[in-house]
Coordinates of all heavy atoms in Angstrom, one line a residue:
M1 N -11.9 -17.5 -14.1 CA -11.2 -16.3 -13.6 C -11.8 -15.0 -14.3 O -12.0 -15.0 -15.5 CB -9.7 -16.4 -13.9 CG -8.9 -15.2 -13.4 SD -7.2 -15.6 -13.6 CE -6.6 -14.2 -12.7
T2 N -12.0 -14.0 -13.5 CA -12.5 -12.7 -14.1 C -11.4 -12.0 -14.8 O -10.3 -11.9 -14.3 CB -13.0 -11.9 -12.9 OG1 -14.0 -12.6 -12.2 CG2 -13.7 -10.6 -13.4
V3 N -11.8 -11.5 -16.0 CA -10.8 -10.7 -16.7 C -11.2 -9.2 -16.5 O -12.3 -8.8 -16.6 CB -10.9 -11.0 -18.2 CG1 -10.0 -10.1 -19.0 CG2 -10.6 -12.4 -18.5
L4 N -10.1 -8.4 -16.1 CA -10.3 -7.0 -15.8 C -10.1 -6.2 -17.1 O -9.2 -6.5 -17.9 CB -9.4 -6.6 -14.7 CG -9.5 -7.3 -13.3 CD1 -8.4 -6.9 -12.4 CD2 -10.9 -7.0 -12.7
T5 N -10.8 -5.1 -17.2 CA -10.6 -4.2 -18.3 C -9.4 -3.3 -18.0 O -8.9 -3.2 -16.8 CB -11.8 -3.3 -18.5 OG1 -11.9 -2.4 -17.3 CG2 -13.1 -4.1 -18.7
M6 N -8.9 -2.6 -19.0 CA -7.7 -1.7 -18.8 C -8.1 -0.6 -17.8 O -7.3 -0.2 -17.0 CB -7.3 -1.1 -20.2 CG -6.7 -2.2 -21.1 SD -5.2 -3.0 -20.4 CE -4.1 -1.6 -20.4
K7 N -9.3 -0.1 -17.9 CA -9.8 0.9 -17.0 C -9.7 0.4 -15.5 O -9.3 1.1 -14.6 CB -11.2 1.4 -17.3 CG -11.7 2.6 -16.5 CD -13.0 3.0 -17.0 CE -13.5 4.3 -16.3 NZ -14.7 4.8 -16.8
E8 N -10.2 -0.8 -15.3 CA -10.2 -1.4 -14.0 C -8.7 -1.6 -13.5 O -8.4 -1.3 -12.3 CB -10.9 -2.7 -13.9 CG -12.4 -2.5 -14.1 CD -13.2 -3.8 -14.4 OE1 -12.6 -4.7 -15.1 OE2 -14.3 -4.0 -13.9
L9 N -7.9 -2.1 -14.4 CA -6.5 -2.3 -14.0 C -5.8 -0.9 -13.7 O -5.0 -0.9 -12.7 CB -5.7 -3.0 -15.1 CG -6.1 -4.5 -15.3 CD1 -5.4 -5.0 -16.5 CD2 -5.6 -5.3 -14.1
A10 N -6.1 0.1 -14.4 CA -5.6 1.4 -14.2 C -6.0 1.9 -12.8 O -5.2 2.5 -12.0 CB -5.9 2.4 -15.3
F11 N -7.3 1.7 -12.5 CA -7.8 2.1 -11.2 C -7.1 1.4 -10.1 O -6.7 2.0 -9.1 CB -9.3 1.8 -11.1 CG -9.9 2.2 -9.8 CD1 -10.2 3.5 -9.4 CD2 -10.2 1.1 -8.9 CE1 -10.7 3.8 -8.2 CE2 -10.8 1.4 -7.6 CZ -11.0 2.7 -7.3
I12 N -6.9 0.1 -10.2 CA -6.2 -0.7 -9.2 C -4.8 -0.2 -9.0 O -4.3 0.0 -7.9 CB -6.3 -2.2 -9.5 CG1 -7.7 -2.7 -9.4 CG2 -5.3 -3.0 -8.6 CD1 -7.9 -4.0 -10.0
E13 N -4.1 0.1 -10.1 CA -2.8 0.6 -10.1 C -2.7 1.9 -9.4 O -1.8 2.2 -8.5 CB -2.2 0.7 -11.5 CG -0.8 1.1 -11.6 CD -0.3 1.3 -13.0 OE1 -1.1 1.3 -13.9 OE2 1.0 1.3 -13.2
D14 N -3.7 2.8 -9.6 CA -3.7 4.1 -8.9 C -3.9 3.9 -7.4 O -3.4 4.6 -6.6 CB -4.9 4.9 -9.5 CG -4.6 5.5 -10.8 OD1 -3.4 5.4 -11.3 OD2 -5.5 5.9 -11.5
E15 N -4.8 2.9 -7.0 CA -5.0 2.6 -5.6 C -3.7 2.1 -4.9 O -3.4 2.5 -3.8 CB -6.1 1.6 -5.5 CG -7.5 2.1 -5.8 CD -8.0 3.2 -4.9 OE1 -7.9 3.0 -3.6 OE2 -8.4 4.2 -5.4
I16 N -3.0 1.2 -5.6 CA -1.7 0.7 -5.1 C -0.7 1.9 -4.9 O -0.1 2.0 -3.9 CB -1.2 -0.4 -5.9 CG1 -2.1 -1.6 -5.9 CG2 0.3 -0.7 -5.5 CD1 -1.8 -2.7 -6.8
R17 N -0.7 2.7 -5.9 CA 0.2 3.9 -5.8 C -0.2 4.8 -4.7 O 0.7 5.3 -4.0 CB 0.2 4.7 -7.2 CG 1.4 5.5 -7.4 CD 1.4 6.2 -8.8 NE 1.6 5.2 -9.8 CZ 0.7 5.0 -10.8 NH1 -0.4 5.7 -11.0 NH2 0.9 4.0 -11.7
G18 N -1.5 5.0 -4.5 CA -1.9 5.8 -3.3 C -1.5 5.2 -2.0 O -1.1 5.9 -1.1
E19 N -1.6 3.8 -1.9 CA -1.2 3.2 -0.7 C 0.3 3.4 -0.4 O 0.7 3.6 0.7 CB -1.5 1.7 -0.7 CG -3.0 1.4 -0.6 CD -3.6 1.7 0.7 OE1 -2.9 1.7 1.7 OE2 -4.8 2.0 0.7
E20 N 1.1 3.3 -1.5 CA 2.5 3.6 -1.4 C 2.8 5.0 -0.9 O 3.7 5.2 0.0 CB 3.2 3.3 -2.7 CG 3.3 1.9 -3.2 CD 3.8 1.8 -4.6 OE1 3.8 2.7 -5.4 OE2 4.2 0.7 -4.9
I21 N 2.1 5.9 -1.4 CA 2.3 7.3 -1.0 C 1.9 7.5 0.5 O 2.6 8.2 1.3 CB 1.5 8.3 -1.9 CG1 2.2 8.3 -3.3 CG2 1.5 9.7 -1.3 CD1 1.3 9.0 -4.4
I22 N 0.8 6.9 0.9 CA 0.3 7.0 2.3 C 1.4 6.4 3.2 O 1.7 7.0 4.2 CB -1.0 6.3 2.5 CG1 -2.1 7.1 1.8 CG2 -1.3 6.1 3.9 CD1 -3.5 6.4 1.7
A23 N 1.9 5.2 2.9 CA 2.9 4.6 3.7 C 4.2 5.4 3.8 O 4.7 5.6 4.9 CB 3.2 3.2 3.2
K24 N 4.6 6.0 2.7 CA 5.8 6.8 2.8 C 5.6 8.1 3.6 O 6.5 8.5 4.3 CB 6.3 7.2 1.4 CG 6.9 6.0 0.6 CD 7.2 6.4 -0.8 CE 7.8 5.2 -1.6 NZ 8.1 5.5 -3.0
T25 N 4.4 8.7 3.4 CA 4.1 9.9 4.2 C 4.0 9.6 5.7 O 4.5 10.4 6.5 CB 2.7 10.5 3.7 OG1 2.8 10.7 2.3 CG2 2.4 11.7 4.4
M26 N 3.4 8.5 6.0 CA 3.3 8.1 7.5 C 4.7 7.9 8.0 O 5.0 8.3 9.2 CB 2.4 6.9 7.6 CG 1.0 7.1 7.4 SD 0.3 8.2 8.6 CE -1.3 8.4 8.0
N27 N 5.5 7.2 7.3 CA 6.9 7.0 7.8 C 7.7 8.3 8.0 O 8.4 8.5 8.9 CB 7.7 6.1 6.8 CG 7.4 4.6 7.1 OD1 7.3 4.2 8.2 ND2 7.4 3.8 6.0
W28 N 7.5 9.2 7.0 CA 8.2 10.5 7.1 C 7.6 11.2 8.3 O 8.4 11.8 9.1 CB 7.9 11.3 5.8 CG 8.6 12.7 5.9 CD1 9.9 13.0 5.7 CD2 8.0 13.9 6.4 NE1 10.1 14.3 5.9 CE2 8.9 14.9 6.3 CE3 6.7 14.2 6.8 CZ2 8.7 16.2 6.7 CZ3 6.4 15.5 7.1 CH2 7.4 16.5 7.1
C29 N 6.3 11.2 8.5 CA 5.7 11.9 9.7 C 6.3 11.3 11.0 O 6.5 12.0 11.9 CB 4.2 11.8 9.6 SG 3.4 12.8 8.4
A30 N 6.4 10.0 11.0 CA 6.9 9.3 12.2 C 8.3 9.8 12.5 O 8.7 10.0 13.7 CB 6.8 7.8 12.0
T31 N 9.1 10.0 11.5 CA 10.5 10.4 11.7 C 10.6 11.8 12.3 O 11.5 12.2 12.9 CB 11.4 10.3 10.5 OG1 10.9 11.2 9.5 CG2 11.4 8.9 9.9
Q32 N 9.6 12.6 12.0 CA 9.6 14.0 12.4 C 8.9 14.2 13.8 O 9.0 15.3 14.4 CB 8.8 14.9 11.4 CG 9.3 14.8 10.0 CD 10.7 15.2 9.8 OE1 11.1 16.3 10.3 NE2 11.5 14.4 9.2
C33 N 8.3 13.1 14.3 CA 7.5 13.2 15.5 C 8.3 13.1 16.7 O 9.1 12.2 16.8 CB 6.4 12.2 15.4 SG 5.2 12.3 16.7
K34 N 8.1 14.0 17.7 CA 8.9 13.9 18.9 C 8.1 13.1 20.0 O 8.8 12.6 20.9 CB 9.2 15.3 19.5 CG 10.1 16.0 18.6 CD 10.4 17.4 19.0 CE 11.3 18.1 18.0 NZ 11.5 19.5 18.2
D35 N 6.8 13.0 19.9 CA 6.0 12.2 20.8 C 6.2 10.7 20.4 O 5.8 10.2 19.4 CB 4.5 12.6 20.6 CG 3.6 11.9 21.6 OD1 3.9 10.7 21.9 OD2 2.6 12.5 22.0
Q36 N 6.8 9.9 21.4 CA 7.1 8.5 21.1 C 5.8 7.7 20.9 O 5.8 6.8 20.0 CB 7.8 7.9 22.3 CG 9.2 8.5 22.5 CD 10.1 8.2 21.2 OE1 10.0 7.1 20.6 NE2 10.9 9.2 20.9
E37 N 4.7 8.0 21.6 CA 3.5 7.2 21.4 C 2.9 7.5 20.0 O 2.5 6.5 19.3 CB 2.5 7.6 22.5 CG 1.2 6.7 22.4 CD 0.3 7.0 23.6 OE1 0.8 7.5 24.7 OE2 -0.9 6.8 23.4
L38 N 2.9 8.7 19.6 CA 2.4 9.1 18.3 C 3.3 8.5 17.2 O 2.8 8.0 16.2 CB 2.3 10.6 18.1 CG 1.7 11.1 16.8 CD1 0.3 10.5 16.5 CD2 1.6 12.6 16.9
R39 N 4.6 8.6 17.4 CA 5.5 8.0 16.4 C 5.3 6.5 16.2 O 5.2 6.0 15.1 CB 7.0 8.2 16.9 CG 8.0 7.5 16.0 CD 9.4 7.7 16.5 NE 9.8 9.1 16.3 CZ 11.0 9.5 16.3 NH1 12.0 8.7 16.5 NH2 11.3 10.8 16.2
K40 N 5.0 5.8 17.3 CA 4.8 4.4 17.2 C 3.5 4.1 16.5 O 3.4 3.2 15.6 CB 4.7 3.8 18.6 CG 4.5 2.3 18.7 CD 4.5 1.7 20.1 CE 4.5 0.2 20.1 NZ 3.2 -0.3 20.5
T41 N 2.5 4.9 16.7 CA 1.2 4.8 16.0 C 1.3 5.0 14.5 O 0.8 4.2 13.7 CB 0.1 5.7 16.6 OG1 0.0 5.5 18.0 CG2 -1.2 5.6 15.9
L42 N 2.1 6.0 14.2 CA 2.3 6.3 12.8 C 3.1 5.2 12.1 O 2.8 4.9 11.0 CB 3.0 7.7 12.6 CG 2.2 8.9 13.0 CD1 3.1 10.1 13.0 CD2 1.1 9.1 12.0
E43 N 4.1 4.7 12.8 CA 4.8 3.6 12.2 C 4.0 2.4 12.0 O 4.1 1.7 11.0 CB 6.0 3.3 13.1 CG 7.1 4.3 13.1 CD 8.2 4.1 14.1 OE1 8.0 3.3 15.0 OE2 9.2 4.8 14.0
E44 N 3.0 2.1 12.9 CA 2.1 0.9 12.8 C 1.2 1.1 11.6 O 0.9 0.2 10.9 CB 1.4 0.7 14.1 CG 2.2 0.2 15.2 CD 1.5 0.2 16.6 OE1 0.3 0.7 16.6 OE2 2.1 -0.3 17.5
I45 N 0.7 2.3 11.5 CA -0.2 2.6 10.3 C 0.5 2.5 9.0 O 0.0 1.9 8.1 CB -0.8 4.0 10.4 CG1 -1.8 4.1 11.6 CG2 -1.5 4.4 9.2 CD1 -2.2 5.6 12.0
A46 N 1.8 3.0 9.0 CA 2.6 2.9 7.7 C 2.8 1.4 7.4 O 2.8 1.0 6.3 CB 3.9 3.6 7.9
E47 N 3.1 0.6 8.5 CA 3.4 -0.8 8.2 C 2.1 -1.5 7.7 O 2.3 -2.4 6.8 CB 3.8 -1.5 9.5 CG 4.2 -2.9 9.4 CD 4.7 -3.6 10.7 OE1 4.7 -2.9 11.7 OE2 5.0 -4.8 10.6
K48 N 1.0 -1.2 8.2 CA -0.3 -1.8 7.6 C -0.4 -1.4 6.2 O -0.8 -2.3 5.4 CB -1.5 -1.3 8.4 CG -1.6 -1.8 9.8 CD -2.8 -1.3 10.5 CE -2.8 -1.8 12.0 NZ -4.0 -1.2 12.7
H49 N -0.1 -0.2 5.8 CA -0.2 0.1 4.4 C 0.8 -0.6 3.5 O 0.5 -1.0 2.4 CB -0.1 1.7 4.2 CG -1.3 2.4 4.5 ND1 -2.4 2.5 3.7 CD2 -1.7 3.1 5.7 CE1 -3.3 3.2 4.3 NE2 -2.9 3.6 5.5
Q50 N 2.0 -0.8 4.1 CA 3.0 -1.5 3.3 C 2.7 -3.0 3.2 O 2.9 -3.5 2.1 CB 4.4 -1.4 4.1 CG 5.0 0.0 4.0 CD 6.1 0.3 4.9 OE1 6.2 -0.4 6.0 NE2 6.9 1.3 4.7
L51 N 2.1 -3.5 4.2 CA 1.6 -4.9 4.1 C 0.5 -5.1 3.1 O 0.4 -6.1 2.3 CB 1.2 -5.5 5.5 CG 2.3 -5.6 6.5 CD1 1.7 -6.0 7.8 CD2 3.3 -6.7 6.0
K52 N -0.4 -4.1 3.0 CA -1.5 -4.1 2.0 C -0.9 -4.0 0.6 O -1.3 -4.7 -0.3 CB -2.4 -2.9 2.3 CG -3.7 -2.9 1.5 CD -4.6 -1.7 1.7 CE -5.1 -1.7 3.1 NZ -6.1 -0.6 3.3
I53 N 0.1 -3.2 0.4 CA 0.8 -3.1 -0.9 C 1.4 -4.4 -1.3 O 1.2 -4.9 -2.4 CB 1.9 -2.0 -0.8 CG1 1.2 -0.6 -0.6 CG2 2.7 -2.0 -2.1 CD1 2.2 0.5 -0.2
A54 N 2.1 -5.0 -0.3 CA 2.8 -6.3 -0.6 C 1.7 -7.4 -0.9 O 1.9 -8.2 -1.9 CB 3.6 -6.7 0.6
S55 N 0.6 -7.4 -0.2 CA -0.4 -8.4 -0.5 C -1.0 -8.2 -1.9 O -1.2 -9.1 -2.6 CB -1.5 -8.2 0.6 OG -2.6 -9.1 0.3
L56 N -1.3 -6.9 -2.2 CA -1.8 -6.7 -3.6 C -0.9 -7.0 -4.7 O -1.2 -7.6 -5.7 CB -2.2 -5.2 -3.7 CG -3.5 -4.8 -2.9 CD1 -3.6 -3.3 -2.8 CD2 -4.7 -5.4 -3.5
A57 N 0.4 -6.7 -4.5 CA 1.4 -7.0 -5.5 C 1.6 -8.5 -5.6 O 1.7 -9.0 -6.7 CB 2.7 -6.3 -5.1
Q58 N 1.6 -9.2 -4.5 CA 1.7 -10.6 -4.6 C 0.5 -11.2 -5.3 O 0.7 -12.1 -6.1 CB 1.8 -11.2 -3.1 CG 2.0 -12.7 -3.1 CD 2.2 -13.2 -1.7 OE1 1.7 -12.6 -0.7 NE2 2.9 -14.3 -1.5
Y59 N -0.7 -10.7 -5.0 CA -1.9 -11.3 -5.7 C -1.8 -11.0 -7.2 O -2.0 -12.0 -8.0 CB -3.1 -10.6 -5.2 CG -4.4 -10.9 -6.0 CD1 -5.0 -12.1 -5.8 CD2 -4.8 -10.1 -6.9 CE1 -6.1 -12.5 -6.5 CE2 -6.0 -10.4 -7.7 CZ -6.6 -11.6 -7.5 OH -7.7 -11.9 -8.2
F60 N -1.4 -9.8 -7.6 CA -1.3 -9.6 -9.0 C -0.2 -10.3 -9.7 O -0.3 -10.7 -10.9 CB -1.3 -8.1 -9.3 CG -2.7 -7.5 -9.2 CD1 -3.0 -6.7 -8.1 CD2 -3.6 -7.7 -10.2 CE1 -4.3 -6.2 -7.9 CE2 -4.9 -7.1 -10.0 CZ -5.2 -6.4 -8.9
N61 N 0.9 -10.5 -9.0 CA 2.0 -11.3 -9.6 C 1.6 -12.7 -9.7 O 1.9 -13.4 -10.7 CB 3.3 -11.2 -8.7 CG 4.0 -9.9 -8.9 OD1 3.8 -9.2 -9.9 ND2 4.7 -9.5 -7.8
W62 N 0.8 -13.3 -8.8 CA 0.4 -14.6 -8.9 C -0.6 -14.8 -10.0 O -0.5 -15.7 -10.8 CB -0.3 -15.0 -7.5 CG -0.8 -16.4 -7.6 CD1 -0.1 -17.6 -7.4 CD2 -2.2 -16.8 -7.8 NE1 -0.9 -18.7 -7.5 CE2 -2.2 -18.2 -7.8 CE3 -3.3 -16.2 -8.0 CZ2 -3.3 -19.0 -7.9 CZ3 -4.5 -16.9 -8.2 CH2 -4.5 -18.3 -8.2
T63 N -1.6 -13.9 -10.1 CA -2.6 -14.0 -11.2 C -1.9 -13.8 -12.6 O -2.4 -14.5 -13.5 CB -3.7 -13.0 -11.0 OG1 -3.2 -11.7 -11.0 CG2 -4.5 -13.3 -9.8
N64 N -0.9 -13.0 -12.7 CA -0.3 -12.8 -14.0 C 0.5 -14.1 -14.4 O 0.6 -14.4 -15.5 CB 0.7 -11.6 -13.9 CG -0.1 -10.3 -14.0 OD1 -1.2 -10.2 -14.5 ND2 0.5 -9.2 -13.5
N65 N 1.1 -14.8 -13.4 CA 1.8 -16.0 -13.6 C 0.9 -17.1 -14.0 O 1.4 -18.1 -14.7 CB 2.7 -16.3 -12.4 CG 3.8 -15.4 -12.2 OD1 4.3 -14.7 -13.2 ND2 4.3 -15.2 -11.0
T66 N -0.3 -17.1 -13.6 CA -1.2 -18.2 -13.9 C -2.0 -18.1 -15.1 O -2.7 -19.0 -15.5 CB -2.2 -18.4 -12.7 OG1 -3.0 -17.3 -12.5 CG2 -1.5 -18.8 -11.4
Q67 N -1.9 -17.0 -15.8 CA -2.6 -16.8 -17.1 C -1.9 -17.4 -18.2 O -0.7 -17.5 -18.3 CB -2.8 -15.3 -17.3 CG -3.8 -14.7 -16.3 CD -4.0 -13.2 -16.5 OE1 -3.5 -12.6 -17.4 NE2 -4.9 -12.7 -15.7

């Protein structure tokens, strides 16, 4: 198993935080949108980011538990 440096872990944490912000922003934009088609698109994009966050969190929780 590859061991990550603190700098690499901090970078990954920043990326996950960025994904969280993007998802929240997309959800907020969707709630403000009057165009139903655009609202649906924004909600789908937000969901993809949320799934990416969940996947990354699950991976890191799994790797932490196996060490």
Side-chain angles (χ1 to χ4, degrees):
M1 178 172 190
T2 303
V3 177
L4 299 173
T5 66
M6 291 302 288
K7 186 175 183 178
E8 290 168 325
L9 288 171
F11 175 78
I12 293 167
E13 185 178 16
D14 289 345
E15 289 295 312
I16 292 171
R17 200 173 295 122
E19 290 294 330
E20 290 172 338
I21 291 168
I22 290 170
K24 287 177 183 178
T25 302
M26 290 293 175
N27 275 325
W28 180 83
C29 289
T31 64
Q32 305 300 308
C33 190
K34 293 179 181 168
D35 182 330
Q36 293 298 322
E37 187 175 331
L38 182 55
R39 177 183 288 199
K40 184 175 186 252
T41 301
L42 290 170
E43 288 171 346
E44 289 171 357
I45 293 169
E47 183 177 3
K48 286 179 185 177
H49 282 280
Q50 290 167 338
L51 292 173
K52 190 182 291 186
I53 294 163
S55 176
L56 288 168
Q58 184 178 26
Y59 172 78
F60 282 103
N61 285 336
W62 179 79
T63 56
N64 285 338
N65 290 334
T66 59
Q67 291 179 359

